[in-house]
Amino acid sequence: MSEARTTWRFPRAFWTANVVELCERAAYYGTFIALRTYLLRVVHLDDVQAGFVAGLFGALIYLLPFFTGAAADRMGFRNGLLLAFFLLTLGYGSLGVVSTLGPVLVGLLLIVIGGAFVKPIITGTAAKLSDETNRARAFSIFYMMVNIGSFTGKTIVAPIRIQLGVDKVPFFSAAAALVALLIVAAFYWPKENGESRPRSVRETLQGMRAALGNLRFSSLILITAGFWAIQGQLYASMPDYVIRMAGETYKPEWYANVNPLVVVMFVVLITQLVRKWKPEWSILVAMTLIPLSSLAMSAAHLFDGPLHVFGIAVHPITAMMVVGIAIQGLAECFLSPKYLEYASRQAPKGREGLYLGYAHLNTFFAWLFGFIFAGYLLKAFCPDPHSLPEAVRLQHELALAGQAAMPAAYAHAHYLWYAFAGVGAVSLTLMIVYIFVTRRIDRRHKAA
């Protein structure tokens, strides 16, 4: 019998789902990278308060899909996507017209709920509308759309923030969500076959309790959360750090795009390189690189003037951000191919699938911790200039224009990156201890 031929042909509902995934990711990352700045300038929160709000927003995006996925199975994928993009359009649009904390929190909650429906539905569509011969290609298309959407959203919002103001950024996201809503209404008609029984909320909670109640598994999640807490600074502290230390016209949104660019360029090569490695060695390489990325970002203060790269004068902040973010991208290439493999080995035999479903909860903890910690660090070492006395604020403006020295309040701004390098060093140390202890336990059980 001849083998089934792999194909790139998929039903229309599959391609429709991937196009709207691109729109959703563009909307999400476009607003997310500007969210802290929006909370500071439009809602008038301070650095710490903005860290708490943005951290909770980012964390819930990774928690709620466990529950909304079950709800989407019950209500049907088409109805789920229509509801999701209606909520997203309403949520993003509301951020563009309100400026007080209560309504903004309501808008953010609508975005969280809407966004939490999208991912399980799109991945579910990819799974249902593919088979064993083309499922790998189906998910490669999905992840490509995620990266294209992320790159597009961050690229577009930079000039919007600079020329129109950060309060206008949510309108771009609302427009992207509305386009997706119209596409779903017109073209997304998947066959709802009801093959699998939807999980209940109770079953979801039981599964989560079983996975996180396993000390070995939950320890791995918390340790690797340190990696993603540093990676999350692309959204938590980097945008405000760049604007405060280099100026309003600089584009941290574009710097953040270095990460997916590096991943796309090198992930296949590195995955091939580490294919025969034990997963823990690949993870250790990633955990070693991630604090180095923070140290690279901190190094801008070592230069007195512009750096010349290929004959072009580049601000030290720009140069060192690009270097640090590129290192982060390489670290992700070492971590991603092997993390799920290693996580599955920590599960009891026969429960690997359940545990893998919750392996990405490390991002939930990373976003919650990383944003809150960043808020305190920014307030201490790189404060919002509007929170400073008038004379200091004016000196800061002159410093950015090259007409005065940077105020003393910013003398240790780079300490922020030292702090996250410390987080990375602690995570690396704990990972080494974790590997040593779990190997010793496994040897003991095997001997018994």
Side-chain angles (χ1 to χ4, degrees), residues 85-360:
F85 284 111
F86 172 76
L87 293 176
L88 289 172
T89 303
L90 186 61
Y92 287 121
S94 70
L95 295 186
V97 297
V98 300
S99 59
T100 54
L101 182 59
V104 166
L105 291 178
V106 172
L108 291 174
L109 180 60
L110 293 176
I111 295 168
V112 166
I113 297 172
F117 270 98
V118 174
K119 187 170 184 177
I121 292 177
I122 302 303
T123 55
T125 298
K128 287 186 176 183
L129 299 183
S130 61
D131 54 35
E132 293 302 323
T133 65
N134 60 7
R135 186 152 296 144
R137 288 187 174 183
F139 280 99
S140 71
I141 292 169
F142 165 75
Y143 286 114
M144 180 179 68
M145 291 298 186
V146 169
N147 281 289
I148 293 173
S150 168
F151 192 95
T152 302
K154 287 179 286 189
T155 300
I156 291 174
V157 300
I160 294 175
R161 174 186 59 79
I162 293 169
Q163 297 174 21
L164 301 177
V166 72
D167 58 316
K168 301 300 188 294
V169 167
F171 286 131
F172 159 76
S173 297
L178 179 59
V179 168
L181 176 62
L182 296 175
I183 292 173
V184 171
F187 302 109
Y188 185 71
W189 296 91
K191 293 181 179 179
E192 305 283 0
N193 51 30
E195 291 177 356
S196 59
R197 182 180 68 84
R199 290 175 299 150
S200 66
V201 172
R202 181 180 178 183
E203 289 172 317
T204 300
L205 289 172
Q206 287 174 339
M208 188 177 295
R209 184 165 57 249
L212 296 183
N214 182 312
L215 182 61
R216 174 182 287 209
F217 185 68
S218 57
S219 296
L220 178 65
I221 286 175
L222 292 175
I223 291 169
T224 54
F227 177 98
W228 293 109
I230 297 174
Q231 189 85 309
Q233 295 314 299
L234 295 182
Y235 307 95
S237 60
M238 189 272 290
D240 287 316
Y241 175 85
V242 169
I243 292 170
R244 294 172 189 180
M245 298 303 295
E248 291 286 341
T249 59
Y250 287 80
K251 299 180 177 68
E253 299 90 347
W254 292 8
Y255 305 166
N257 277 335
V258 172
N259 181 276
L261 183 63
V262 168
V263 171
V264 169
M265 289 175 61
F266 293 104
V267 69
V268 173
L269 177 64
I270 291 176
T271 300
Q272 182 70 10
L273 172 68
V274 304
R275 71 188 189 283
K276 295 183 179 179
W277 291 17
K278 291 183 177 179
E280 53 264 45
W281 299 130
S282 185
I283 292 172
L284 283 176
V285 170
M287 301 293 274
T288 302
L289 288 173
I290 201 68
L292 297 180
S293 73
S294 292
L295 291 177
M297 292 177 177
S298 75
H301 77 285
L302 299 175
F303 303 95
D304 294 328
L307 301 178
H308 293 275
V309 181
F310 302 116
I312 302 172
V314 179
H315 195 293
I317 294 284
T318 298
M320 299 320 298
M321 283 296 135
V322 169
V323 171
I325 294 168
I327 294 173
Q328 286 188 4
L330 289 174
E332 188 174 338
C333 292
F334 279 96
L335 183 75
S336 295
K338 294 292 188 176
Y339 170 68
L340 291 179
E341 177 186 347
Y342 190 66
S344 69
R345 294 185 181 183
Q346 314 313 308
K349 191 170 181 61
R351 308 201 77 184
E352 293 86 355
L354 170 67
Y355 277 62
L356 284 178
Y358 296 100
H360 288 298

Side-chain angles (χ1 to χ4, degrees), residues 16-33:
T16 303
N18 277 278
V19 170
V20 299
E21 171 69 11
L22 186 156
C23 292
E24 190 275 331
R25 289 290 85 184
Y28 173 74
Y29 281 107
T31 288
F32 192 42
I33 197 163

